[in-house]
Structure formats: structure tokens, C-alpha cells
């Protein structure tokens, strides 16, 4: 029989307690690591599922008709504002070249024709200067009818009536009427080109 000093027994007990605490602490850290890893896996799996799901996230379908290579642009103007049809046609040309795979061409050489007519240019007063009848803020709206037609088959790809976009003018901050007019034309041109995307 081996006799041990009481202090030695107390030291052994403390060592075992420290080892147990260390094991418990390590167990908690491992548990936390597993929980973090599980959360990361769940988030990654959820993101992959959203991307892979039909109608959600990333799509491989093209935005534009791949059979079309070239577009001719023509606009007429039935309003009293001179040369607005040329300004609109130029803005549409720039949008097509910058934002679509299509190229601008003359009508005799183009696959398709985007043609339209400015039917109305409206200018209305939104607010007036305090204590006067003078306009403080005005709104300019350009209204068009347009058609995008495939010249090879005669099929109408897009047709819109009374299609419009607006811009505002506030002279107090130094904005000119010409600026508001051009902004309305640019907004309208961008919206027209948006209509050339494929309707899935």
C-alpha cells in the first residue's frame, strides 16, 4: 500500500479538473466551428439553388433576337417643334449601338426597320413661383408611335402607341429649356431601345 501526501492528492485533483475544463473548452470551440461551417454550407447551397432555379437569378437566355444583325432607324414629326425627329433618331441610334448587339444600317441594307412618328410634345407647369403666375417647375413630355419590323419576313417585332417619357425643368437652379428637352429625348430613346429586348 502506497501512502501519498494529502497535498499531492489535492494537486492531482486540481490537474484533473484543469484537464477536464480544457477538454470541455476545446469541445465548445469544436462545436462552434461545426456550427459556423454548417451555416456557411447552408448559405452556399441556398445561393446555388437560387441561381439554378428557373426564373430566378442568372439566366442563359439572350436578351436580344440573335437572328437580327442590323437596324435602320427613321422618325417623322407631326408637331410644330422643328428637327425633333432628327434628334430622337440620333439618340436612338446611339442607344442601339451602345446597348445592343445590333448595328445601324441604311434601310435598303438592314434586317429590320425601327420607324416612328412624334405625335405630341407637351409642356406643362408643375409648380409656380410664390406669389406669381410664372412657372417654377415645368415638365416636357414627348409622345411617339413606333414599330420595329423585320424587313426580311415582314413580321412586326414590336409596336407601341402613345409611348412617352418626360423630363422636368427648374430654371432657378440654372437649368435651361434646351437641357430639359434633350433629357426628355434621351429618356425616350433609351425606353424605345428597351422595348427591343426579347419578350420571354
Amino acid at each position: 500500500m502506497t501512502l501519498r501526501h494529502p497535498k499531492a492528492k489535492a494537486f492531482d485533483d486540481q490537474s484533473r479538473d484543469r484537464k477536464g475544463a480544457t477538454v470541455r473548452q476545446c469541445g465548445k470551440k469544436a462545436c462552434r466551428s461545426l456550427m459556423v461551417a454548417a451555416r456557411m454550407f447552408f448559405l452556399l447551397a441556398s445561393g446555388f439553388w437560387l441561381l439554378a432555379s428557373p426564373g430566378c437569378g442568372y439566366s442563359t437566355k439572350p436578351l436580344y433576337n440573335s437572328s437580327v444583325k442590323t437596324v435602320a432607324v427613321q422618325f417623322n414629326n407631326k408637331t410644330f417643334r422643328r428637327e425633333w425627329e432628327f434628334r430622337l433618331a440620333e439618340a436612338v441610334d446611339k442607344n442601339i449601338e451602345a446597348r445592343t448587339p445590333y448595328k445601324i444600317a441604311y434601310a435598303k441594307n438592314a434586317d429590320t426597320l425601327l420607324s416612328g412618328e412624334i405625335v405630341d410634345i407637351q409642356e406643362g407647369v408643375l409648380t409656380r413661383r410664390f406669389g406669381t403666375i410664372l412657372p417654377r417647375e415645368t415638365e416636357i413630355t414627348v409622345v411617339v408611335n413606333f414599330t420595329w419590323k423585320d424587313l426580311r419576313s415582314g413580321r412586326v417585332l414590336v409596336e407601341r402607341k402613345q409611348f412617352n417619357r418626360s423630363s422636368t425643368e427648374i430654371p432657378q437652379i440654372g437649368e435651361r429649356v434646351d437641357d430639359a428637352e434633350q433629357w426628355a429625348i434621351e429618356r425616350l430613346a433609351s425606353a424605345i431601345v428597351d422595348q427591343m429586348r426579347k419578350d420571354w
Side-chain angles (χ1 to χ4, degrees):
M1 181 175 177
T2 304
L3 295 176
R4 301 190 64 186
H5 195 278
K7 289 185 177 181
K9 183 177 182 301
F11 178 79
D12 290 342
D13 292 341
Q14 290 175 4
S15 298
R16 282 194 294 271
D17 289 342
R18 283 196 296 270
K19 288 179 182 178
T22 301
V23 170
R24 286 193 298 272
Q25 187 176 5
C26 290
K28 288 180 181 179
K29 288 182 179 179
C31 185
R32 288 195 198 101
S33 298
L34 287 173
M35 289 177 66
V36 170
R39 288 174 184 168
M40 290 296 294
F41 176 79
F42 175 76
L43 290 173
L44 290 172
S46 299
F48 177 78
W49 181 82
L50 286 173
L51 290 174
S53 297
C56 296
Y58 178 75
S59 173
T60 58
K61 293 180 179 179
L63 290 176
Y64 298 96
N65 190 331
S66 58
S67 69
V68 174
K69 305 301 180 185
T70 53
V71 183
V73 178
Q74 296 176 356
F75 276 93
N76 297 319
N77 184 5
K78 65 177 293 185
T79 73
F80 65 90
R81 304 285 187 106
R82 297 179 58 186
E83 298 187 353
W84 276 58
E85 66 273 26
F86 303 116
R87 295 166 67 182
L88 178 58
E90 181 181 15
V92 170
D93 285 351
K94 290 179 179 178
N95 267 270
I96 289 174
E97 290 278 5
R99 299 172 48 216
T100 78
Y102 310 138
K103 299 298 180 183
I104 297 299
Y106 292 109
K108 62 180 181 180
N109 301 321
D111 298 333
T112 62
L113 173 63
L114 178 63
S115 61
E117 183 176 47
I118 301 175
V119 297
D120 196 12
I121 299 173
Q122 305 163 359
E123 188 169 352
V125 176
L126 297 180
T127 58
R128 299 186 183 277
R129 296 182 186 179
F130 181 74
T132 72
I133 62 171
L134 297 175
R136 178 183 178 275
E137 183 179 18
T138 60
E139 182 179 62
I140 296 174
T141 302
V142 187
V143 186
V144 299
N145 297 332
F146 73 91
T147 302
W148 186 30
K149 184 178 181 180
D150 191 326
L151 296 176
R152 300 163 297 180
S153 64
R155 185 167 68 96
V156 173
L157 303 173
V158 177
E159 185 174 22
R160 299 288 184 269
K161 300 292 185 183
Q162 298 295 305
F163 193 79
N164 66 82
R165 287 297 183 272
S166 303
S167 69
T168 58
E169 176 213 355
I170 307 176
Q172 281 82 349
I173 62 173
E175 192 175 63
R176 301 177 304 159
V177 174
D178 290 346
D179 296 333
E181 291 177 353
Q182 189 59 36
W183 178 231
I185 289 172
E186 295 290 345
R187 290 195 67 204
L188 180 60
S190 178
I192 289 172
V193 173
D194 285 343
Q195 302 301 304
M196 299 173 73
R197 294 180 178 180
K198 292 190 72 171
D199 185 8
W200 295 107

